[in-house]
């Protein structure tokens, strides 16, 4: 998020239009999301520690190399691809680790963990602006490169944990004749995502790889994936263009950076408080609609942004958008876990963040093209708002359709059960009547025999 603060400096230094400069942000986001499954793969088959430490090293290297850039193409590769790849290896394993450690207060745990993004935005936005003024953009990138190396320390502190639901057996594979008995016994004790998968035959590797991603065929996950595409398209450009838009309406550089700081700190509050609220007993069953509400409110904020053309009006916008942005971001892993389960959460989050890549790559340049074409930010912000509202409406209609289908199935089941009950009652009555007739016949036969004897 703080990379957008550099864009004005890049535009002035390289003499390019803002649309080309915004491609840097798109490439960072795209690399981060496209490589998210790679981070999940490393965490599943090696460890979260290795994935996060490797990601921190790559991200730091990209920032340091960017400080020596002589062209935008250089920044595309170093700040875009290399730094984005490093962040991808860190993000998915770190978020998935939270889901393994927490169950009862999962939404609150995700909110606290993901509030780090808001804390970073709140602190780094003015700090980065100060570093640029003191050391130029090259010195600021060099300092940030050293700071990001602390991700290696964070990765070293990640303690692996094994869940009962991870320890699944593979009966189809165990029935095969080509598997030695010793490997069958070992396989019964191992997780599907075990680091020792390299010791198994190629057939087992293919089976386990498929089991990690069989959630892709779930209807619930498909609808969630399509919704996330529209949501990601709507939320990305605002973080890129909020500072330039504020500058275009006469806000000073420090006030524009302060807007990002407000957005960041309120993002933290949204992460934690919304996670805590949705963990309450009254709202825990309604997390789905809480997510829809948060995404829809962010879409409405984007629709009203073009009429806010002063610093006092932009401050409430930063409060509102920041809070609901933190709210729905907290619930993304929770909703994903509800759909696919905790054991597949790491792989599913990799796919979810992978799906962010296309909108993150396309939306900032499209928004920049609209700004250059129309001469204002109105069209860009309206497109973002409608995209997020459509994302929320799509999930809402999907849930309503599912509820109607479930009600219809229950009615059919109820009718079938009543018919079975009627048939059972009729059979019992018929059986009792037949038994009584049989007894009457026996009594009559006894009376007849006694009469003949007489």
């Amino acid at each position: 998020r703080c990379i957008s603060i550099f864009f004005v400096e890049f535009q002035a230094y390289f003499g390019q239009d803002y649309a080309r400069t915004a491609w840097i942000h798109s490439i960072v986001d795209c690399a981060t999301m496209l490589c998210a499954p790679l981070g999940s793969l490393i965490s599943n088959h090696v460890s979260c520690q290795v994935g996060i430490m490797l990601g921190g090293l790559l991200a730091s290297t990209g920032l340091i190399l960017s400080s020596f850039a002589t062209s935008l193409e250089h920044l595309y590769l170093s700040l875009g691809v290399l730094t984005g790849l490093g962040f991808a290896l860190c993000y998915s394993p770190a978020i998935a680790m939270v889901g393994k450690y927490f169950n009862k207060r999962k939404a609150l745990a995700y909110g606290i963990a993901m509030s780090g993004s808001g804390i970073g935005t709140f602190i780094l936005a003015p700090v980065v602006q100060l570093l640029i003024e003191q050391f130029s953009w090259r010195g600021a990138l060099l300092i940030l490169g050293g700071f990001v190396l602390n991700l290696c320390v964070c990765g070293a502190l990640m303690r692996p944990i094994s869940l009962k639901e991870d320890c699944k057996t593979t009966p189809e594979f165990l029935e095969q004749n080509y598997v030695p008995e010793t490997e069958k016994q070992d396989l019964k004790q191992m997780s599907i995502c075990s680091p020792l998968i390299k010791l198994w035959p190629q057939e087992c590797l293919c089976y386990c790889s498929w089991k990690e991603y069989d959630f892709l065929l779930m209807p619930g996950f498909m609808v969630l994936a399509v919704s996330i595409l529209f949501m990601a398209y709507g939320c990305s450009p605002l973080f890129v263009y909020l500072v330039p838009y504020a500058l275009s309406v006469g806000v000073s550089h420090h006030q524009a950076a302060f807007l990002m700081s407000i957005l960041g700190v309120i993002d933290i509050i949204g992460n934690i408080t919304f996670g805590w609220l949705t963990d309450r007993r009254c709202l825990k069953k309604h997390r789905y609609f809480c997510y829809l509400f948060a995404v829809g409110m962010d879409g409405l904020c984007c629709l009203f942004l073009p009429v806010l053309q002063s610093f006092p009006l932009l401050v409430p916008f930063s409060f509102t958008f920041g809070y609901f942005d933190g709210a729905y971001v907290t619930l993304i892993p929770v909703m994903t876990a509800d759909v696919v389960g905790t054991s597949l959460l790491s792989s599913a989050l990799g796919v979810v963040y992978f799906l962010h890549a296309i909108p993150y790559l396309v939306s900032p340049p499209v928004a920049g093209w609209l700004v250059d074409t129309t001469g204002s930010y109105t069209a860009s912000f309206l497109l973002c708002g409608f995209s997020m509202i459509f994302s929320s409406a799509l999930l809402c209609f999907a849930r309503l359709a599912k509820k109607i289908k479930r009600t219809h199935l229950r009615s059919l089941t109820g009718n079938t059960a009543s018919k079975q009950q009627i048939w059972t009652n009729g059979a019992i009555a018929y059986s009792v009547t037949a038994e009584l007739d049989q007894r009457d016949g026996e009594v009559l036969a006894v009376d007849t025999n006694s009469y003949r004897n007489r």
Side-chain angles (χ1 to χ4, degrees):
R1 294 178 179 180
C2 293
I3 290 176
S4 60
I5 299 176
F6 288 94
F7 289 173
V8 176
E9 305 296 328
F10 294 157
Q11 184 180 8
Y13 185 85
F14 295 109
Q16 301 291 340
D17 58 15
Y18 203 86
R20 287 199 61 192
T21 307
W23 271 98
I24 300 174
H25 190 280
S26 300
I27 294 173
V28 172
D29 287 336
C30 185
T32 302
M33 304 308 171
L34 282 175
C35 299
L38 178 61
S40 300
L41 188 67
I42 293 175
S43 66
N44 287 339
H45 299 297
V46 184
S47 71
C48 290
Q49 294 172 314
V50 173
I52 295 174
M53 293 173 70
L54 179 61
L57 184 62
L58 291 176
S60 175
T61 303
L63 288 168
I64 293 173
L65 292 177
S66 299
S67 65
F68 301 100
T70 56
S71 64
L72 280 180
E73 288 74 15
H74 187 169
L75 289 173
Y76 291 161
L77 294 176
S78 57
L79 188 58
V81 176
L82 194 57
T83 302
L85 175 61
F87 290 153
L89 298 182
C90 296
Y91 194 70
S92 295
I95 297 302
M97 183 68 75
V98 176
K100 290 181 178 292
Y101 269 92
F102 297 91
N103 187 23
K104 292 183 179 180
R105 301 288 185 268
K106 185 178 292 186
L108 178 59
Y110 277 122
I112 295 174
M114 301 180 76
S115 64
S117 176
I119 295 173
T121 304
F122 173 70
I123 297 176
L124 288 180
V127 169
V128 167
Q129 188 64 44
L130 182 63
L131 290 175
I132 291 174
E133 294 175 359
Q134 295 293 325
F135 304 102
S136 77
W137 63 268
R138 295 184 184 274
L141 286 173
L142 191 63
I143 294 172
L144 285 179
F147 179 74
V148 169
L149 270 177
N150 287 286
L151 285 173
C152 298
V153 180
C154 297
L157 298 176
M158 291 286 179
R159 179 173 172 267
I161 187 173
S162 179
L163 299 177
K164 290 183 180 180
E165 59 186 287
D166 290 334
C167 301
K168 300 177 181 178
T169 59
T170 56
E172 300 90 349
F173 176 74
L174 294 175
E175 292 175 359
Q176 302 300 323
N177 296 326
Y178 53 77
V179 182
E181 289 298 323
T182 56
E183 292 186 8
K184 288 183 180 181
Q185 296 298 325
D186 293 338
L187 187 57
K188 292 179 181 179
Q189 306 296 328
M190 293 180 183
S191 164
I192 284 180
C193 302
S194 171
L196 300 179
I197 194 173
K198 59 185 179 181
L199 301 178
W200 304 344
Q202 185 67 30
E203 292 82 0
C204 180
L205 179 61
C206 296
Y207 176 86
C208 296
S209 299
W210 164 245
K211 291 295 292 181
E212 289 180 15
Y213 292 97
D214 59 355
F215 59 87
L216 292 173
L217 301 178
M218 295 181 180
F221 185 81
M222 291 181 181
V223 175
L224 178 64
V226 175
S227 173
I228 282 177
L229 289 174
F230 287 96
M231 182 271 295
Y233 184 93
C235 71
S236 178
L238 187 124
F239 292 101
V240 179
Y241 293 105
L242 178 60
V243 172
Y245 172 72
L247 296 175
S248 68
V249 295
V251 177
S252 66
H253 284 78
H254 288 285
Q255 288 178 331
F258 186 63
L259 289 174
M260 290 295 293
S261 297
I262 294 174
L263 194 149
V265 70
I266 300 302
D267 192 287
I268 302 170
I269 298 175
N271 286 145
I272 299 175
T273 59
F274 213 74
W276 178 82
L277 286 173
T278 53
D279 270 334
R280 299 302 90 195
R281 186 172 300 177
C282 58
L283 291 178
K284 198 167 187 176
K285 296 181 180 180
H286 305 288
R287 288 173 176 169
Y288 193 93
F289 294 102
C290 292
Y291 173 81
L292 301 185
F293 176 74
V295 174
M297 286 299 298
D298 264 359
L300 290 176
C301 289
C302 292
L303 294 181
F304 284 103
L305 182 56
V307 300
L308 308 177
Q309 299 186 357
S310 64
F311 181 73
L313 293 177
L314 289 173
V315 170
F317 167 82
S318 295
F319 272 90
T320 307
F321 186 88
Y323 182 82
F324 287 109
D325 178 75
Y328 77 75
V329 166
T330 297
L331 293 181
I332 288 177
V334 178
M335 292 186 60
T336 307
D338 290 341
V339 173
V340 304
T342 305
S343 60
L344 298 175
L345 180 59
S346 180
S347 301
L349 283 178
V351 175
V352 166
Y353 294 129
F354 173 83
L355 293 173
H356 282 69
I358 298 175
Y360 273 35
L361 178 65
V362 173
S363 58
V366 169
W369 175 78
L370 289 174
V371 172
D372 293 336
T373 303
T374 62
S376 69
Y377 293 86
T378 302
S380 300
F381 293 146
L382 290 179
L383 184 59
C384 293
F386 285 122
S387 178
M388 298 190 76
I389 292 175
F390 178 78
S391 171
S392 179
L394 178 64
L395 285 177
C396 183
F397 289 138
R399 175 53 66 94
L400 291 176
K402 184 177 180 180
K403 188 175 181 179
I404 293 173
K405 183 178 179 181
R406 186 179 301 171
T407 304
H408 180 64
L409 290 176
R410 285 179 180 176
S411 64
L412 291 178
T413 305
N415 293 334
T416 304
S418 62
K419 290 179 181 179
Q420 290 178 350
Q421 185 67 23
I422 293 172
W423 182 87
T424 304
N425 294 337
I428 293 173
Y430 178 81
S431 177
V432 172
T433 304
E435 186 176 354
L436 292 175
D437 292 341
Q438 183 178 1
R439 289 182 179 179
D440 291 341
E442 292 176 355
V443 172
L444 182 61
V446 171
D447 293 341
T448 303
N449 292 332
S450 61
Y451 176 77
R452 288 177 180 178
N453 292 331
R454 290 177 185 176

